[in-house]
Amino acid sequence: AQSVSQHNHHVILSEAASLELGCNYSYGGTVNLFWYVQYPGQHLQLLLKYFSGDPLVKGIKGFEAEFIKSKFSFNLRKPSVQWSDTAEYFCAVITSGGYQKVTFGTGTKLQVIP
Amino acid sequence: NAGVTQTPKFQVLKTGQSMTLQCAQDMNHNSMYWYRQDPGMGLRLIYYSASEGTTDKGEVPNGYNVSRLNKREFSLRLESAAPSQTSVYFCASRAGLRGSNQPQHFGDGTRLSIL
């Protein structure tokens, strides 16, 4: 069965600091990977996605993520965070094929201090 | 565009009461999902429906039932609510079927408290 691990549960950064949130998945086959963001009191919104091709994908609001197949990782990065990035971030995986099950990590709460 | 609409937004129940959470999407998506979100546990899949007419259990199906009424609607029922089911429930949909590389679209959630 597929699983997703997010090792950082709570991250506190000052504005302008760089961000990297870890995401590792376990599944031997082809996967599609996503990062979602949930601002306080809101629903999840898609940040970026990886399907195939260039392993470095760019998303909205200056976020990017790198897929490293050999490490089963899909870490989220941002060079300089802003106070408005305070939110919870979720990594998710969908396995290729007709199987439609989506698995989420437990989330990382990011707090950016002005 | 409405996207994914969940009703109600808030609900308080007494232990043992029953309740149906409604979800509808207007994007002609094939797949629909119900999750619960609890602090420190992320989103856990309760049930999903890969296509109209099919439903499958997720990670935490006990105490819940679902109905894929038609392509648009996917309801979640608590037959006898328990305090452990206090949570925020999210419905999601995605295109599905013709490629698994589509993201999910989420509703605004239902905050459910069981006393």
Side-chain angles (χ1 to χ4, degrees):
Chain A
Q2 67 214 50
S3 66
V4 179
S5 297
Q6 291 181 244
H7 306 295
N8 312 107
H9 298 295
H10 195 184
V11 173
I12 302 173
L13 294 174
S14 298
E15 274 192 316
S18 63
L19 170 72
E20 181 161 3
L21 301 182
C23 173
N24 289 89
Y25 66 93
S26 65
Y27 182 72
T30 304
V31 293
N32 301 132
L33 298 155
F34 304 83
W35 274 99
Y36 287 87
V37 60
Q38 184 180 31
Y39 297 104
Q42 296 187 26
H43 61 267
L44 277 76
Q45 303 170 45
L46 182 69
L47 263 184
L48 48 78
K49 56 191 178 185
Y50 171 79
F51 303 147
S52 63
D54 189 345
L56 184 63
V57 292
K58 296 191 183 299
I60 61 172
K61 304 185 180 185
F63 286 91
E64 64 179 32
E66 184 175 14
F67 172 54
I68 304 179
K69 189 174 182 180
S70 60
K71 295 184 177 180
F72 297 89
S73 70
F74 188 56
N75 292 353
L76 181 71
R77 300 196 292 248
K78 187 171 183 179
S80 177
V81 295
Q82 301 172 320
W83 177 78
S84 58
D85 293 325
T86 295
E88 192 161 14
Y89 294 81
F90 293 91
C91 182
V93 61
I94 301 174
T95 55
S96 291
Y99 194 50
Q100 300 299 323
K101 185 177 178 181
V102 180
T103 301
F104 281 83
T106 53
T108 298
K109 286 189 177 179
L110 171 65
Q111 184 179 356
V112 180
I113 301 170
Chain B
N1 290 335
V4 179
T5 303
Q6 288 182 238
T7 55
K9 294 190 184 305
F10 302 93
Q11 185 68 50
V12 178
L13 295 177
K14 294 181 179 179
T15 298
Q17 285 186 313
S18 62
M19 166 104 196
T20 299
L21 308 186
Q22 306 288 352
C23 176
Q25 52 92 8
D26 61 2
M27 296 171 283
N28 201 36
H29 285 171
N30 290 302
S31 302
M32 296 186 74
Y33 306 78
W34 275 106
Y35 293 89
R36 59 177 291 174
Q37 184 179 28
D38 303 289
M41 309 207 54
L43 275 80
R44 292 183 292 169
L45 182 64
I46 305 171
Y47 272 93
Y48 67 105
S49 171
S51 62
E52 185 180 358
T54 69
T55 60
D56 287 283
K57 294 179 180 179
E59 304 167 63
V60 289
N62 292 344
Y64 305 95
N65 284 301
V66 290
S67 295
R68 184 74 183 266
L69 305 169
N70 47 55
K71 192 170 186 179
R72 288 188 63 248
E73 299 171 288
F74 187 41
S75 62
L76 178 72
R77 183 161 178 83
L78 288 71
E79 290 291 351
S80 179
S84 61
Q85 293 177 305
T86 293
S87 186
V88 180
Y89 292 84
F90 286 99
C91 177
S93 71
R94 60 191 290 268
L97 275 189
R98 291 189 178 182
S100 61
N101 57 2
Q102 298 300 316
Q104 291 172 306
H105 297 258
F106 285 83
D108 289 336
T110 296
R111 296 183 183 276
L112 184 61
S113 293
I114 317 293
L115 305 177

